[in-house]
Each structure stands twice: as structure tokens, then as C-alpha cells.
Amino acid sequence: MTMTHDAPKAGSQVGRSVPRLEGRDKVTGRAEYTHTMRLPGMLTCKLFRSTVAHGRIKSIDTSEAKKVPGVFAVVTIDDVMKVIPDPYYGPAFHDQPILAHEKVRFVGEPVAAVLAMDPHVAEEAAQLIVAEYEELPAVYDEVDALTTKTYVHDVLKPAGTFADLKHLKDARDTNTALDYRLRKGDVDKAFAQAAHVFEHEFKTQKVLHLPFEPHASIADYKDTGVTVYTASQGPSFVRTEIARLLGWPENKVRIKVPYLGSGYGAKLYIKLEALVVALSMIARRPVKLALTFEELFYQITKHPSTFRIKSGIDKDGKIIARKCEVFWNGGAYADIGPRVTQKSGLTASGPYEIDNVWIDSYALYTNVTPAGALRGFGVPQLVWAYESHSDMIARALKLDPVEFRRKNLLREGRPHATNTIIKDAAVEKVMDHVLDRMNWSKPFDKSTGVVKRGRGFGISIKAVITPTTSVAIVNVSGDGSVTLYCGTIDMGQGSDTAMAQMVGEVLNVPTETVRVVPRDTDVTPYDMGTLGSRSLFHMGHAVQRAAADARDKLKALAREVGEPEGSNIPVRDLFVKKYGMQAGNVIGTGIFKPDYIPPAPGTGLSENVTAFWMVSGAGAEVEVDTETGHVKITKLVNVVDVGKAINPRIVETQISGAALMQLGFTMFEKMHIDGGQVTNASLADYKIPGFHDVPTVMDNSHVDTNQANGPFGAKGVGEVATFCVSPAIANAIDDAVGVRLTELPLNPESVYRAIRAKAGKPLEDE
Amino acid sequence: MMTAARTISFKLNGMPVTADVKPHHNVVEVLQSQFSLTGARETCGQGLCGCCTVVVNGRAVSGCLYLATFLDGTEVTTVEGLDTPQKLHSVQEAFIETSAFQCGYCTPGFVLMTTQLLDEHPDPDDEQIKHYLTGNLCRCATYPQVIEAVKLAAKKRKGS
Amino acid sequence: MTPFELAEPTKLADAVKLLDPDDPTVRPIAGGTALMLMMKAGVFRPAKLISLRGIESKYSGIAASGGGLRVGAMTTLNALERSADVKKLAPLITRTMLTLSNVRVRNVATVGGALAHGDPHMDLPPVLMALGAKLTVISPNGERSVALEDFFTGYYETVLEKNELIAEAHIPAQGAKRAAYMKVTTGSADDWPALGVAVVLDSDGKAIKSARVVVSAATTKATRVKSAEAVLAGKTVDDKLLAQAGDAAVEEAEFIADVRGSVPYKRELLRVYIKRAVRQALDGGAQ
Amino acid sequence: MNVSGEFTIKAPRAAVFDTIRDPKSFISLVDGIRDLKEIDPTHYQAVFETKIAYLNFKFNVSVEVTKLEVGEIAAKIEGTPLGVVGRLTATTSTVLTEVGDETKVAYSVDAALAGKLGSMGQPVMRSKAKDLEKVFVSRLRERFAQAAAE
């Protein structure tokens, strides 16, 4: 197909299941990832990590390590501060030192770095470092963290980026890194009037992303500028933060990101980059740090949470009041925890229309591995609680769980708890689709044998992180070929392909011919980050605008060279007419930032709190072995509202992958921690789903909707299918055997213990 | 008695090669550092995920648990040895056509194991696929799509 | 991993001479799949490894002899899985192989290694123990025979001296005996087991003449539970008998807690799975 | 990780107490402790070496006796393994009760292992702790059996 400057027909690229553009490189093993990259003269770094959860560093003895032949340097924070005097970084708080400084705050915190050409030498030397600590009391539990006199940080240091953290500047004697609140109506009065009041507490465990390409960064420092190759979901932020640490303008910092061996939120904001830059400054050579699988357990995790939820129900089954107290276990450094606390916190009351809502959501420091965003920015923890709660209320009131929800669902045009009016959120349609795929209205055989059957479902809503900015550039070359420059990281979600489809749609060229430039902040423009299912919507808009800008400029060029209106000459000929040969470019640019009204201080209310709503539902059928507590998931239905699917096959893969990942978090994944130490830091002891964990029937679909303000009617999909898996399964277990689990994971022992407790014969503890 | 580096010879993707290895080097690091082949990668480091899969003398092994020195005199195939400049291997085509991967980090392992699986079971059913590939994990959880890919690859293989 | 020396003898007799009875940093390496884990974790730093890969090929073979199997210690699990002799004489082993670890491990790991490693989670030890296997062990001083049930002494620990190696395993033919091996995982489906139960029954219909019952994974070592065997011997199977056998086994076995379950839970699992394994064996199982 | 248990010794409580309150006598009951150094009457240093199959673990340990009354002994133990990054911390308490002419010894150890050993070796260490207990009990019994015979 020859590209012409005037796109005659639309609809040929968007909505098509284009095979992934990078597929060939991935199936041949030639795709580039930071973890397997090498630079000439590169040193490898291995870390010496803290063995105490909370302590003052008395001494670090590196003498034996330095004696190992082949060791180039052993670096502690004192060395780092000679090149970066203020070595603290982080997106929400400048709380994390490049290496431990004065104190250590979790087991596994990097304390010293060994550099050598041979990784085995560095590893051996790191084992010879000895540190002495004055041990301090430690806090591990998120609820304890609110009231304890043990403080993880002496003084809080908000980064200044987020308005709602400013009041925490210089705060002392607290572990609270954000206290988000929403106040709507009068909950106390409504509870007093309610016919029934239900209060439950739910917990989630500590789990982690485990990207199969563990974190890796390489820095190549020169006095004229630094280049960082890194497995990052947010190169623009890394650039800003490195520039800040060095006191440099951003243009001297270059961040290059090849493909990512997945992220799920693990590689957001800044991780290893500040350390490798400091090490490269010290060594004056390229330095690489690539984590091992075990070290992932000391990098970033999901937030464990405690959620106390209380609902007042009137005599007709309408929820008239809801009070939510959510405690987020953020670990030793805030990372993006405060955003998780606020951005998910505001939807803690669920996809229901409730007149009186009270939400307190606390980000809390503790002495464990830091927590960040994991495929849902906290929303899976919330949905686990509020959709379990929904079923518990319905069961207690002997109401049909479908009708109870239907009576309370948020509908189009109605106000959410924040006061933002619901628009393009197909809550009821998604629920009905789940029920349809579950054959909910048909009789269900629960069985009477040792193995009992049950079914359950859940429904959820999420607001996208707002407001954020994306910029894109579309470049049409002299031969008419098209190149897209955008900062969205393709970490497996297929964004390169989807963005290219949008360019192809606007410029009427086949998607397969569009080149998407690998991420490099020297050439790809700003993007806030690949997170929170924001990219397809935000970057999609920017890309669409950039492509439209290029198209307009091509039309202007045609007029300029005297082409009559309606002429459709090939683009190459247009350039030849203008420049006398195959030469020149047409550059289109696009910027997108949605409208937004920040939540009002005190009440958390806002008429426009999100650029769009995400909606998903899930249904599960299970078989519970009553003799052992084993739960087999025989059917898992996942339904999401994605607006219009840009690439239906990729959408389906995303839904399926997200649901299966959450299945692991629901059924068995758990970081075991003893005295602050993770005791199962390996794939042998921390299990993730494999082939045999896939439910017998997986039924994934999206409802046919249109996101009116989205690019080509689309919105994000990466996280959304995780939300309802946990409560759907817990509700199904309750349906099967009449026990209610309120803490994840729902592993066989937990289920068995609950069955025994219900029978009045509780199993003894250890 | 071998004390330090030693030169080993083997066939790598059909080409005779030599490498200087020490006893503590594993296959993955030697392939990456001496041959710039990065398709086999170390993820879990315990032989459980399959990202480091290579084929030695016709049998798949975990490259992260296999001492490089033991490659001496063997024939080694890595994922990079499957395609030609003209044509992808039918298993690779099938993985692309079914979109049976997301981030792609584990994909070379799945592709290599699938070639082995189809050698043994040319027309596998779901159970055979799951059983054979159970030692390969995908954190993006594209398992249902991989099953489709394996079946498509089986069909392609029969057709060719 | 830290550097070490590697020796590659071509005879088993030479290999045992290279081992040092007093130096735990000198170790044999066969397939290496288990040893490499210890080395990569940094908890084992060998000074010298003795590779057994080059020793006489007779130690990599399977032969049917005298109503049983002789399996060389260097036989890969893959070869065990595919052997027609094994399928004929000890079908329980063939069945077990299907769910043992994964293809890549089976391609490399050896029978001798799987036993000598002494990891209580492995599948082969309980199965071979229930079948009544004996090992021939050699050292520079000669050879001795050890019944597998006397082989394990603890977590990762066996009766092997540091200069002893398993040469071969002798497995009596299963014959008309009924057998089953069941393992229970509590993490993902392919997790290491929280419990393994192997039973081999000499029976006539539901009447059991004698039984061998072995528990693994929930315990620090694969262990014969003779009290449960005694309960079953000479009895006809019914729910009550199986419950008694379960109680006896729970009483006898020494459990350990780990991420896969607490001791009280593992006890309950054993009660249930003794029952299920006996029933599975009688209902067809491997025969 | 908590390891606890109880056993009985055929000896009067005072005799049992005397045996385990004396550090030199105590360490002779524990497999693998040597090079005991007394810093002061409540603080000691020693080397603890233990072996699991072919894996050798060696710790420099310091012990602080936090309670020493007839009938109850409590101590805090901290150790650093040699050659591998890690840390062992434990608190122990032992309660002696008279049961007729025997003494019931109830002990409880709360131990935490951090670093490499902590992330890999919990079940192994747990089983090792059981072994240590068995050795301890048998040596203690042996000692009183000998004492009775003499």
C-alpha cells in the first residue's frame, strides 16, 4: 500500500488483531533487555544487604572484601556522598538513600556495593563485608504502625511534587506517609438510622511482582552527560530525578529503555538508577547492576493492607452509609505508596451509590521491603474487601447477591462518592455479562460429597491516575514511511502495536509499516509513566493528535506545492515536488493532559476526579475438598469494560493474564516474613501460577462500549481484570462450604482451618 | 585435574566453536558473554522457570544449572539456532500468530520446549502440552495462548 | 558461585578415591541440578567437585535381573521414565515420573543424585523405599549394601560417608502388588509437595496381606511408617481400618512446619492421604 | 521461628539447674559450641559450628543471660555466620518444675535467621534445631544417669 497524504477511509487499522510488531524479535530471542546488555569496560555491581530490620549502623568493615583479587571498589554511602551530597530520592518523599545512610530500615536494604569485572568476584567479596548495627525496635504491621512509638523515619521529607503531601513536611514522630480522607454526607446520622449495620475487617498479604526480567540498570557517566540503560516503566521520571540528584539540567541525562521483561508496576519511578549513576561516577566506567531473582524480594512489593469496612443498610436493602478505614503497609520507603493510598482510596466505597461515605486511607511506613503499585494501584486490595463484604451482607440479610448489588449499583449520570458524575462506566452491563457467562439464572449443582461446589462473583470500579501528561511525535520521512516517538514502555502489554495502529488509522497506512522508536529520552518526548492503565488513553490521545498534526501538515504541503484539493498523490512524490528529491520530513506533535479538579482539602470531594472510569467483574465456580481444604477453580469468568478494543487479541491476552496473576495472589502467593526476614525468597518456595493452575474453563470477554472521550473510543485494560478475582473466589468458597475467609491467600490450610472451626473442632495452632 | 580456565569445543547452532570456561561458569553466562547469545536468560536461577532453556545433544536442559564445561564435545542448540534469515521456525510463527507471549522474556524457553514436545508428541492434546511444559513459567500468564500456539505449531508441522 | 576445581574421572573406583573422607568441600557431582542450587545460593562453596559424568557406562544403565531392576546410579530420571523394563517390573516408578519435577530436570538429574541429596521433598525416595529398594554403595574400602529405608538420616542427610558413592539401586519387581504414590501440594499445583505418600500392597481384593507405607515431604526424611503397615497387614480394607492406619502413621511420623503448612495441618493431610493412597492402589493404581 | 518442647530428667530440680546454669557445663551439652569465653558473669562469647550434611555453618555468637533464677533461665543470643552474609538472633527461656522426684524442663527458643541463610534454610534449620534438642536431652540424661550410677 502506498501512503497518500489524504486518508480516504478510516477503520482499517483500529479494531484489528494486528500481531505484535516486536513478535519476531521476541520469539527468536533477539529482543534486547537491559538485564542481558553489556557495555565495553563495564563493571558489575553486587550488593551487601542489611540483616537487621531496623538499626543504626555502627560500622561497615569492607577490608576483607577489598582484598579479593579482581575487586575494583567497595562503595558505601560515604563514598556516594562525595559525588552526590544529598543522596535521597523517591517520587513522593525524598526518603530513600542511594545506599543505607546512618540507619537501615529493612532486612535486605543495600548497605554497600562491590564493583568488579567478574560478577563471581563481586559476589564473593560482598559476602566478606561485615556491618555492625545497634538494633532498634521494628514495626512490621500496618495497623501497629499508626500507634507505635517506633518510627521508621525521624523526619518526613515530601518530594514537593504532590500537593496533598505538603502538610507532612518536617513531620516527626509519625509513620503516616499520607492520610487521605473523604467525607460525604453524614455517616454517623445514617448509621443511626440504618436498619442493619455490618462491620468487617479484611486483610491482604505481602506479595510481589516478580518480573521475569529482574530489575537491571547500567550507567555510563561522563562529565558531559550520563547515559542510563534501564528496565524502567518511567524514563521521564528517572531523567528528572537523576538530574535533580546531580544538580544538572535534564538534557545532560539520557535514559534508554529497551523492551521490558515485564513490570506490573515493579519498575515504576526510580529504582536502581540513582545507585548505578553514583557508582559510575565513582568508578568512571560503565557500571551494571542486575538483580537476581532472590533480590527481587528486597526491591518492591505490593502493599499488604487492612481494610475495616462498615455499612448501614436500610430496610429495603439500600446501602445508606459506608465507613472505610484502610491501612496500607508501605514498607521502609514510601515509593509511590501515598499515591496508591489516595488514588485507590477514593474508590474504597465501591461501585455503589451511597449518600453518606467516610473514607480514611493511611500510607504507613514499616520495617519491611518497600511497597508500590502492582497491577491495580491498590484497587485489588479494596475490591477484595468490599465485594466480600457485599456478599456477607446479602447472605446475612438473606438477599439475593445480584439483587442486593443491583439495588445499589452506580449508574450512568449518578454521583460517585467523590461527587464526580459517572460517565462511560458500564457497571451494570459488566455485571450482567458476568452473570450471563456464569449461567447464573440456571440451577447449580452444589454436590453433597466430600467435594462441594460453589459459585460467586464480584464487580468493581477504578479511577485512573489523574491528571497526567503524555507527548508524542510522528515523523513522516521523505519516502512516506512513518516513525512514532512516544515514551510509553512496551513491557508486554502490546502498547507499541496499539499506538502504531492509531497512527496507521489516522494516516491510513498499515500498522505493520509504522516504526516505533525504542525509548530514549534524547529523542522520545515526555511521558508521565507507563502505569495505572493510563497509556492507551493518555498517550493514545497524544499519538492521535501527533498523527493528525502530521496529516494536516502533509495537506498544507500539498497545497504549497500546488496540488489541487482532493489530489491523492503518494507522499514521496509530495516531498520530491517540494525538495526536488526524496528528502525532508513532516513532524507532527501531540500533547494530552485531561481536565481535572483536585479533591477538596478535608472532604476529598471533586466534580472531576478522573479522566475515565475502569470497570470489571469476575465470576468463579469452585470445588472445595472438605477433607483437605483444597480449592479447585473449575470456571473463571472475567469481563471488563475497555471502551472500544484497539486490538481485540491483545485485549483478551491482557484480561486473561491479569486474572491469572491475581489468581496466584488469591490462592497461594505470600511472602513469609520472620523477624523482618523474608524466608521464602525463591521461586522454589514462593510459588506463582503455572499451567496446572489455570482454571478448567477461562472465559474472558469485554463488553461492547464506547469511551466517548477516549482515543477511538478506547480506554486502558492492563490492570482491570485483576480486581474481582479474589472476592469472586472467596464468595464461591462460602457458597460451597459456608465458611468466610477474610484474609488472603485462600490456601488449603486456611480453608481447612475455617471448615474445622465452623464444625466446632478448630485445628490447633503450630 | 582441571584447576582453572580450559578451552572447550562444541557445536553451537551447527557451527563448531570453542570457549574458554572455568569450572564455576554456567551455560547461560558463557553463551551471553562469549557468544552474545541472550535468548537463554537466567531468571529464577533454580531450573524452575525455563527462561534459560538450551538443548544439549537433543535434550532440553536448564542452562543456569548446567556447568559450561560439560558442553565440551556436545551439540548445542539455542533459540537463535531455530530460524534462518529467510524463515522463522514453524513454532516461532505459531507463537506470533496466536500472540502467545506478552513481555517475551520467557518466550525463547517456551519455543525451544515446544520444538522438543512436538518431536515427542506430534499431535499433542491439552494434557500432554501442560505436562510437557509444566516446567516453564510465564509471569504474564499467557498459558492459554501458549496451548493454542502449540496446537497451531503442530498443525503447521504436519502441513510442511 | 565461587571458583572450584573439577576432576573428571573415568572410573567409579577412581572417583571414590578422589573424594576426601574428612573434607566436606570435596563433593561428587552427577546431574548437578540439586548441588548447583546450593552452590548458587552461596551456602555450599566446594573446593573441588568430582564429576561422575565420565564413569563407566554400566552405571547409567537399567537391567532387568533376578525378578527385579538393577539401576545404575548415573541413570537419568528421563531414562527411568522411558524404560520398558521399569514400566513392566515397577510401573509405580513410571507413573511417578510423570509428575516428578520437569522435563529439563529429568533429562539431567540422576537416580543416584536424587537419592544422595536427601531432600525430603523428592518423589523418588518414597517410591523406591515403598518398593523395597536396596543400594550398593562403594568406597575405596569396598562396597556395602544399604536398604533404602535405612539410608536417610535427616534433612539432606544420609548414611553415606564422604568418600562413598551410590553405585546402583536394586529394586524388587512389583509383581502382583498394588501400589500408589500420591503427593499433595499446597502452593501452586506444581509446588514441591507438602506431603508424599507411597503405598505398596500385597493384597487379594480388599484383603491386605502385607503393606509398605512411606511418608515424605511433611517429614525431615522419607520414612516408612511401620505402625500403619502393621494396622493394615492381614486386614480387610474399610473406612475404619484406613482411619486407624492414618492415626498410626500420624503418631509415628515426625513432621516439620514450613511455608507449605503447619504441623497440625500436615497431620490431617496424612490421615486423609493414607486413606486415599490405599484406595487408589486397590482401585487400580500402578500395577 | 519458634522451637519449643519439654522433657523430664530423673534428677532433682536443683541438680538440673546447677548443670545448665554453669556455662561450661551447659555448652558441653550442646552439639557444636566451643571456644567459650566469659566476658562477665552474664555475657559470653563462643563459636557455634553446625553441619547439615555437607554444609558447614559457623557462627560467632554472643550470649547474654537475662534471667537466672532457680527454676528459670533466659538468654539472648546473637550470632554472625562466617563467610556468608547473615545474622542469627534468638531468645531462649527454660523453665524447670519439680514433678515428684523428676524435673520437667520446658524450653522455648524464638530464633530469627536473616540474610542468605534466612531466605533459604528455614525448614532445614528447624529440623537441625530438633536434632540439637535430641542431643541435648540425651547428653543431659546421660549425665544424670552417670551421676546416679556413681
Side-chain angles (χ1 to χ4, degrees), chain B residues 29-70:
Chain B
E29 59 187 307
V30 168
L31 289 174
Q32 292 191 357
S33 65
Q34 298 193 37
F35 299 98
S36 292
L37 295 177
T38 58
R41 341 169 140 135
E42 179 161 331
T43 290
C44 75
Q46 296 186 308
L48 298 170
C49 70
C51 292
C52 61
T53 302
V54 295
V55 176
V56 179
N57 287 342
R59 291 210 186 282
V61 307
S62 293
C64 76
L65 295 183
Y66 204 92
L67 293 179
T69 184
F70 293 153

Side-chain angles (χ1 to χ4, degrees), chain B residues 42 60 66 120 131 134-135, chain C residues 40 53 82 98 104 107 190:
Chain B
E42 179 161 331
Y66 204 92
E120 215 166 302
H131 168 244
T134 192
Chain C
K40 295 184 81 159
R53 302 169 74 94
R82 287 154 191 275
L98 290 176
R104 288 183 311 281
N107 280 342
D190 299 319

Side-chain angles (χ1 to χ4, degrees), chain A residues 180-196:
Chain A
Y180 167 78
R181 55 174 51 181
L182 182 145
R183 301 287 183 267
K184 175 180 175 153
D186 184 340
V187 283
D188 291 335
K189 198 171 141 199
F191 278 126
Q193 290 166 352
H196 314 276

Side-chain angles (χ1 to χ4, degrees), chain A residues 252-480:
Chain A
K252 283 176 73 176
V253 180
R254 179 182 195 182
I255 311 298
K256 296 181 77 168
V257 182
Y259 284 107
L260 247 61
S262 79
Y264 322 112
K267 297 170 179 172
L268 278 175
Y269 300 98
I270 180 164
K271 293 291 183 285
L272 310 178
E273 293 88 354
L275 175 58
V276 290
V277 167
L279 294 174
S280 183
M281 288 173 85
I282 290 164
R284 306 191 74 79
R285 296 167 72 157
V287 172
K288 176 176 177 177
L289 173 55
L291 298 190
T292 62
F293 200 79
E294 183 193 351
E295 288 178 295
L296 285 171
F297 292 79
Y298 308 119
Q299 185 63 47
I300 193 77
T301 72
K302 192 170 175 164
H303 282 79
S305 64
T306 298
F307 187 165
R308 293 178 185 148
I309 183 167
K310 180 177 171 185
S311 297
I313 317 289
D314 74 9
K315 59 179 176 21
D316 301 321
K318 179 95 184 75
I319 309 169
I320 56 172
R322 179 161 283 184
K323 185 171 180 180
C324 306
E325 282 182 289
V326 198
F327 306 85
W328 302 93
N329 191 327
Y333 298 103
D335 200 84
I336 200 57
R339 295 272 60 56
V340 170
T341 302
Q342 190 229 323
K343 293 296 178 185
S344 65
L346 61 88
T347 62
S349 59
Y352 302 107
E353 186 176 343
I354 306 169
D355 291 339
N356 304 288
V357 179
W358 163 304
I359 299 169
D360 279 348
S361 183
Y362 300 97
L364 293 151
Y365 283 117
T366 55
N367 293 111
V368 291
T369 304
L374 200 175
R375 213 165 188 169
F377 253 82
V379 169
Q381 289 97 316
L382 300 176
V383 181
W384 152 244
Y386 68 62
E387 279 303 84
S388 294
H389 184 63
S390 291
D391 256 40
M392 290 165 82
I393 295 171
R395 207 168 287 272
L397 296 179
K398 301 199 166 34
L399 296 171
D400 178 85
V402 175
E403 290 319 310
F404 172 63
R405 286 179 176 82
R406 205 181 292 284
K407 198 175 290 257
N408 290 289
L409 279 188
L410 264 172
R411 291 186 169 76
E412 207 68 4
R414 300 298 304 162
H416 175 256
T418 51
N419 274 356
T420 299
I421 300 300
I422 290 290
K423 184 157 177 8
D424 292 339
V427 181
E428 189 162 26
K429 194 170 179 179
V430 165
M431 185 175 86
D432 283 336
H433 200 65
V434 170
L435 298 171
D436 180 51
R437 305 302 304 171
M438 293 285 290
N439 295 315
W440 197 265
S441 55
K442 305 263 167 59
F444 182 74
D445 174 18
K446 291 176 73 167
S447 158
T448 51
V450 166
V451 174
K452 298 220 159 36
R453 303 182 68 236
R455 59 182 181 168
F457 72 98
I459 181 89
S460 65
I461 194 166
K462 178 181 189 277
V464 74
I465 311 292
T466 309
T468 61
T469 302
S470 291
V471 186
I473 297 170
V474 167
N475 173 8
V476 182
S477 297
D479 65 349

Side-chain angles (χ1 to χ4, degrees), chain A residues 19-20 22-31 33 35-38 118-120 208-214 259-262 264 292-294 374-375 490-493 649-650 652-658 660-661 664-665 669 682-692 694 698 700, chain B residues 22 24-26 28-29 32-33 38-46 48-49 51 79-88 91-93 95-108 110-111 127 129-131 133-148:
Chain A
R20 286 162 191 267
E22 79 287 7
R24 201 178 168 108
D25 286 345
K26 285 183 174 171
V27 300
T28 59
R30 296 190 180 93
Y33 300 90
H35 210 275
T36 55
M37 277 177 67
R38 280 157 203 272
D118 183 340
H120 297 286
L208 77 171
H209 315 68
L210 291 182
F212 268 19
E213 179 206 18
Y259 284 107
L260 247 61
S262 79
Y264 322 112
T292 62
F293 200 79
E294 183 193 351
L374 200 175
R375 213 165 188 169
D490 197 326
M491 51 191 179
Q493 83 279 38
R649 178 63 178 178
I650 292 180
E652 192 201 322
T653 314
Q654 280 281 82
I655 297 172
S656 162
L660 287 173
M661 189 174 203
F665 297 149
E669 291 186 37
S682 74
L683 200 54
D685 290 327
Y686 181 101
K687 303 312 291 186
I688 65 170
F691 271 101
H692 290 106
V694 176
M698 278 281 279
N700 308 310
Chain B
K22 291 184 177 170
H24 64 289
H25 290 157
N26 72 39
V28 173
E29 59 187 307
Q32 292 191 357
S33 65
T38 58
R41 341 169 140 135
E42 179 161 331
T43 290
C44 75
Q46 296 186 308
L48 298 170
C49 70
C51 292
V79 71
E80 291 92 343
L82 293 183
D83 64 324
T84 66
Q86 291 74 37
K87 192 160 168 42
L88 289 177
V91 172
Q92 294 170 321
E93 287 176 359
F95 270 70
I96 291 179
E97 287 165 27
T98 54
S99 197
F101 53 86
Q102 294 204 26
C103 79
Y105 209 70
C106 66
T107 310
F110 274 99
V111 167
E127 278 316 305
I129 295 170
K130 287 190 211 170
H131 168 244
L133 298 181
T134 192
N136 289 65
L137 296 171
C138 169
R139 189 52 160 164
C140 305
T142 49
Y143 303 113
Q145 294 78 17
V146 167
I147 291 176
E148 287 178 49

Side-chain angles (χ1 to χ4, degrees), chain B residues 1-3 6 23-26 42 45-50 53 59-62 64-67 69-70 113 116 120 131-132 134-136, chain C residues 1-8 18 29 31-33 36-37 40 48-49 51 53 78 81-82 98-99 101-108 190:
Chain B
M1 177 70 54
M2 159 175 153
T3 54
R6 129 187 214 208
H24 64 289
H25 290 157
N26 72 39
E42 179 161 331
Q46 296 186 308
L48 298 170
C49 70
T53 302
R59 291 210 186 282
V61 307
S62 293
C64 76
L65 295 183
Y66 204 92
L67 293 179
T69 184
F70 293 153
M113 288 303 288
Q116 296 256 303
E120 215 166 302
H131 168 244
Y132 204 92
T134 192
N136 289 65
Chain C
M1 293 203 308
T2 48
F4 53 83
E5 287 181 22
L6 183 74
E8 299 184 89
L18 288 166
I29 179 168
T33 50
M36 285 285 280
L37 296 183
K40 295 184 81 159
K48 192 199 285 182
L49 292 184
S51 170
R53 302 169 74 94
N78 175 289
E81 179 185 358
R82 287 154 191 275
L98 290 176
T99 57
S101 189
N102 63 51
V103 174
R104 288 183 311 281
V105 168
R106 295 198 295 273
N107 280 342
V108 173
D190 299 319

